[in-house]
Amino acid sequence: VMGLLIRRGSPGPALFRQERIGRGGETFSMYKFRTMAENAEAMLLDVLREAGKEVQPLYKLPKDPRVTRVGRVLRRYSFDELPQLLNVVRGEMSLVGPRPQIAAEVETYADDVRRRLLVKPGMTGLWQVNGRSDLKWDDAIRFDLYYVENWAVLLDLVILWRTLRAVRTGSGAY
């Protein structure tokens, strides 16, 4: 059903695949439902320039013109992330952990930030339940490193529970 809504709302495939960096620096293909125009990656620099922003990790824009109408709804309630369950089943991701970044972002990591790569990336994590896209990069990193250094099953369960609440409210997602 989501695939039909996505394709009906804008031309292009329903699934979006992007190379991300996982545990130990390994590259894998991460899947999402497509929420942007088909040529969104080619438009990125122009969109950021118009918004007065520069390319940096967590550069999400609250009113990104590349996001489709259907995509806004999918993002608000994190439905776009559901195909990542395939990544979890394949062992490339976990339900909980630091979000996987693209190679260009990982290349900017300071040595201490590289500790994010000690665990599998997750569909959700501490920064998703503590502000989502409203957080600054330094805060997101602080949450991710706390997770890496303090992992416990109970912590994962708390994050999953808080994720349900964050998704239900849709706050900080764009």
Side-chain angles (χ1 to χ4, degrees):
V1 172
M2 278 192 240
L4 290 172
L5 290 172
I6 293 166
R7 294 197 59 170
R8 193 168 174 212
S10 68
L15 281 180
F16 174 73
R17 190 187 91 188
Q18 188 176 51
E19 296 302 306
R20 296 289 180 109
I21 305 300
R23 181 170 53 187
E26 293 293 318
T27 302
F28 70 98
S29 293
M30 186 185 79
Y31 298 97
K32 296 178 84 166
F33 282 122
R34 184 174 56 84
T35 60
M36 294 187 167
E38 189 175 18
N39 62 343
E41 289 181 306
M43 299 167 56
L44 175 62
L45 292 177
D46 290 334
V47 169
L48 289 175
R49 194 175 310 113
E50 286 176 25
K53 304 271 185 182
E54 56 187 60
V55 177
Q56 61 184 14
L58 292 184
Y59 59 80
K60 285 191 173 185
L61 301 171
K63 297 197 188 281
D64 192 326
R66 302 171 304 155
V67 178
T68 65
R69 192 167 53 189
V70 170
R72 285 189 216 302
V73 175
L74 294 178
R75 283 179 169 210
R76 180 166 174 86
Y77 299 104
S78 297
F79 291 134
D80 61 320
E81 310 284 348
L82 289 176
Q84 290 167 34
L85 289 170
L86 176 62
N87 294 113
V88 171
V89 169
R90 291 169 53 170
E92 299 158 332
M93 290 178 68
S94 177
L95 290 176
V96 180
R99 289 295 294 159
Q101 307 286 172
I102 60 173
E105 292 169 333
V106 173
E107 289 171 10
T108 69
Y109 285 3
D111 288 341
D112 63 324
V113 177
R114 294 193 70 77
R115 291 192 324 255
R116 290 178 88 245
L117 304 176
L118 293 174
V119 299
K120 283 184 188 178
M123 290 180 65
T124 188
L126 273 176
W127 68 263
Q128 284 82 9
V129 299
N130 286 297
R132 294 172 95 173
S133 297
D134 290 335
L135 288 178
K136 292 185 170 126
W137 172 244
D138 291 341
D139 293 329
I141 287 299
R142 185 172 41 83
F143 284 123
D144 283 346
L145 294 179
Y146 178 89
Y147 176 83
V148 169
E149 295 163 2
N150 296 284
W151 178 85
V153 172
L154 184 58
L155 178 59
D156 278 1
L157 293 173
V158 168
I159 292 170
L160 287 170
W161 177 254
R162 290 185 61 200
T163 296
L164 292 174
R165 187 173 43 189
V167 167
R168 195 173 61 244
T169 65
S171 63
Y174 39 85

